[in-house]
Structure formats: structure tokens, C-alpha cells
Amino acid sequence: MFKSVIAGITALSLTFATAMPAQANGFDRDDVGKIIIGIAALAALNAAIENNRRDRQQPETPQHPTSGNNQQSLPQSCMERIDTRYGEHRMLMRRCLQRNDIRVRDLPNRCEVRLFTDDGPRNGFDPACLRQAGYRIDRRH
């Protein structure tokens, strides 16, 4: 959006520079006010056009795990119970998933968690969140 606003301002300034005769006094207050109002109107018009374009575009449908890829089921062996000062939590461990050929970058970001333990931080994925996203934890892996 800012590129098109800048392009409009540049075009407008070139138009004024070439269409106006040379003045010894320059612009007066009325001329400057008109230019500023014109620029603001162009910016508002451009924002409305961009907003209209965004509304007309089809929203991208996220890839759902049931679309035929092998990430639908996740290995039970990667599930660990992690002790923290707030109690025990279950988590699918990131490295284990990677070792089992699961592309963790394709898992939902909102399900990624980091738990802080006495041994340091542990990175993984919340199993309940993954289930809600359509994944299942398979005991056969």
C-alpha cells in the first residue's frame, strides 16, 4: 500500500511541477492546503481500493492433515511426561518427531510449546492441540 501511495505522491508532485508556471513567491497557504488535502484524499482512496481487493480474494485454505499426507498420525513413542514446577505435562518431543520423519514445520505453530524444567527448556507439541487440528497419536509407530 505504501508503494502505491508514494507513487501517487510522486506523480502528483511531477504534475504540479510541470503544469504550474514558475512563481517567484512559491506556494501560498491555500495552495499548500489544497495539495495536502489532495494527497490525503489519494491515500484514503488507495486504502479503500486495497481493502476492497483484500475482501475479494479467496482466503487461503490451510493444509489439513487428512489431505492424504503421512503426517496424519504421529508416533506414540515421542510422547513424554515432563515434570515442571507446576506439575507434570505431556508433550510430543520435537527431536523425536524429526527422527521419525515427521516434518515438524508442517505441524500447526499454535501447538508448539516450550516447557521449562530443572534440566532446561524442552521443545515439543501439545498433544491435545494436535488432536484438535486433526492429527492422531498412533500407538503402532
Short mmCIF file of all heavy atoms in Angstrom, two decimals, residues 80-90 115-118:
data_model
loop_
_atom_site.label_atom_id
_atom_site.label_comp_id
_atom_site.label_asym_id
_atom_site.label_seq_id
_atom_site.Cartn_x
_atom_site.Cartn_y
_atom_site.Cartn_z
N GLU A 80 6.18 -37.78 25.82
CA GLU A 80 6.91 -37.84 27.10
C GLU A 80 6.15 -37.06 28.15
O GLU A 80 5.46 -36.10 27.85
CB GLU A 80 8.31 -37.24 26.95
CG GLU A 80 9.30 -38.16 26.31
CD GLU A 80 10.72 -37.62 26.42
OE1 GLU A 80 11.00 -36.83 27.35
OE2 GLU A 80 11.53 -37.99 25.57
N ARG A 81 6.34 -37.49 29.38
CA ARG A 81 5.79 -36.76 30.53
C ARG A 81 6.92 -35.89 31.07
O ARG A 81 7.99 -36.40 31.41
CB ARG A 81 5.29 -37.72 31.59
CG ARG A 81 4.10 -38.53 31.13
CD ARG A 81 3.65 -39.48 32.23
NE ARG A 81 2.66 -40.41 31.74
CZ ARG A 81 1.35 -40.17 31.68
NH1 ARG A 81 0.89 -39.02 32.08
NH2 ARG A 81 0.53 -41.08 31.22
N ILE A 82 6.67 -34.61 31.15
CA ILE A 82 7.69 -33.66 31.55
C ILE A 82 7.29 -33.09 32.91
O ILE A 82 6.18 -32.59 33.09
CB ILE A 82 7.80 -32.50 30.53
CG1 ILE A 82 7.99 -33.04 29.12
CG2 ILE A 82 8.90 -31.54 30.92
CD1 ILE A 82 9.26 -33.77 28.88
N ASP A 83 8.21 -33.17 33.88
CA ASP A 83 7.97 -32.61 35.20
C ASP A 83 8.45 -31.16 35.23
O ASP A 83 9.61 -30.87 34.90
CB ASP A 83 8.71 -33.40 36.28
CG ASP A 83 8.06 -34.75 36.52
OD1 ASP A 83 6.81 -34.81 36.48
OD2 ASP A 83 8.80 -35.73 36.75
N THR A 84 7.57 -30.28 35.63
CA THR A 84 7.92 -28.87 35.82
C THR A 84 7.54 -28.48 37.24
O THR A 84 6.93 -29.28 37.97
CB THR A 84 7.18 -27.95 34.83
OG1 THR A 84 5.80 -27.96 35.13
CG2 THR A 84 7.40 -28.38 33.40
N ARG A 85 7.85 -27.28 37.64
CA ARG A 85 7.48 -26.85 38.99
C ARG A 85 5.98 -26.69 39.13
O ARG A 85 5.45 -26.57 40.22
CB ARG A 85 8.20 -25.57 39.35
CG ARG A 85 7.70 -24.36 38.60
CD ARG A 85 8.28 -23.09 39.14
NE ARG A 85 9.65 -22.97 38.70
CZ ARG A 85 10.38 -21.89 38.83
NH1 ARG A 85 9.87 -20.84 39.39
NH2 ARG A 85 11.61 -21.86 38.40
N TYR A 86 5.24 -26.68 37.99
CA TYR A 86 3.78 -26.55 38.03
C TYR A 86 3.07 -27.88 37.85
O TYR A 86 1.87 -27.93 37.70
CB TYR A 86 3.33 -25.57 36.95
CG TYR A 86 3.96 -24.22 37.10
CD1 TYR A 86 4.95 -23.80 36.23
CD2 TYR A 86 3.60 -23.38 38.14
CE1 TYR A 86 5.55 -22.57 36.37
CE2 TYR A 86 4.19 -22.14 38.31
CZ TYR A 86 5.16 -21.75 37.41
OH TYR A 86 5.76 -20.53 37.58
N GLY A 87 3.83 -28.96 37.83
CA GLY A 87 3.24 -30.28 37.71
C GLY A 87 3.75 -31.00 36.47
O GLY A 87 4.68 -30.57 35.81
N GLU A 88 3.10 -32.11 36.19
CA GLU A 88 3.50 -32.96 35.07
C GLU A 88 2.70 -32.58 33.81
O GLU A 88 1.50 -32.37 33.88
CB GLU A 88 3.24 -34.42 35.44
CG GLU A 88 3.75 -35.40 34.42
CD GLU A 88 3.51 -36.82 34.88
OE1 GLU A 88 2.40 -37.31 34.65
OE2 GLU A 88 4.44 -37.40 35.46
N HIS A 89 3.41 -32.53 32.68
CA HIS A 89 2.78 -32.20 31.41
C HIS A 89 3.18 -33.25 30.38
O HIS A 89 4.29 -33.77 30.40
CB HIS A 89 3.22 -30.83 30.92
CG HIS A 89 2.83 -29.72 31.83
ND1 HIS A 89 1.59 -29.16 31.82
CD2 HIS A 89 3.53 -29.07 32.79
CE1 HIS A 89 1.54 -28.21 32.73
NE2 HIS A 89 2.71 -28.14 33.34
N ARG A 90 2.25 -33.54 29.47
CA ARG A 90 2.57 -34.45 28.37
C ARG A 90 2.87 -33.64 27.13
O ARG A 90 2.23 -32.62 26.88
CB ARG A 90 1.39 -35.39 28.11
CG ARG A 90 1.19 -36.34 29.25
CD ARG A 90 -0.02 -37.23 29.12
NE ARG A 90 -0.80 -37.08 27.92
CZ ARG A 90 -1.28 -38.07 27.19
NH1 ARG A 90 -1.08 -39.30 27.58
NH2 ARG A 90 -1.98 -37.85 26.11
N LEU A 115 8.52 -26.07 27.48
CA LEU A 115 8.38 -26.23 28.92
C LEU A 115 9.75 -26.06 29.58
O LEU A 115 10.76 -26.56 29.07
CB LEU A 115 7.82 -27.62 29.25
CG LEU A 115 6.41 -27.91 28.75
CD1 LEU A 115 6.03 -29.34 29.09
CD2 LEU A 115 5.43 -26.95 29.37
N PHE A 116 9.75 -25.36 30.68
CA PHE A 116 11.00 -25.13 31.41
C PHE A 116 11.08 -26.09 32.59
O PHE A 116 10.20 -26.13 33.43
CB PHE A 116 11.07 -23.68 31.87
CG PHE A 116 11.17 -22.72 30.72
CD1 PHE A 116 10.04 -22.13 30.20
CD2 PHE A 116 12.39 -22.45 30.14
CE1 PHE A 116 10.12 -21.27 29.13
CE2 PHE A 116 12.49 -21.59 29.06
CZ PHE A 116 11.35 -20.99 28.56
N THR A 117 12.14 -26.89 32.59
CA THR A 117 12.35 -27.88 33.63
C THR A 117 13.62 -27.54 34.39
O THR A 117 14.33 -26.58 34.06
CB THR A 117 12.49 -29.30 33.02
OG1 THR A 117 13.71 -29.35 32.28
CG2 THR A 117 11.32 -29.62 32.11
N ASP A 118 13.93 -28.35 35.39
CA ASP A 118 15.19 -28.16 36.12
C ASP A 118 16.39 -28.44 35.23
O ASP A 118 17.48 -27.94 35.47
CB ASP A 118 15.23 -29.08 37.35
CG ASP A 118 14.21 -28.66 38.39
OD1 ASP A 118 13.80 -27.48 38.40
OD2 ASP A 118 13.81 -29.53 39.19
#
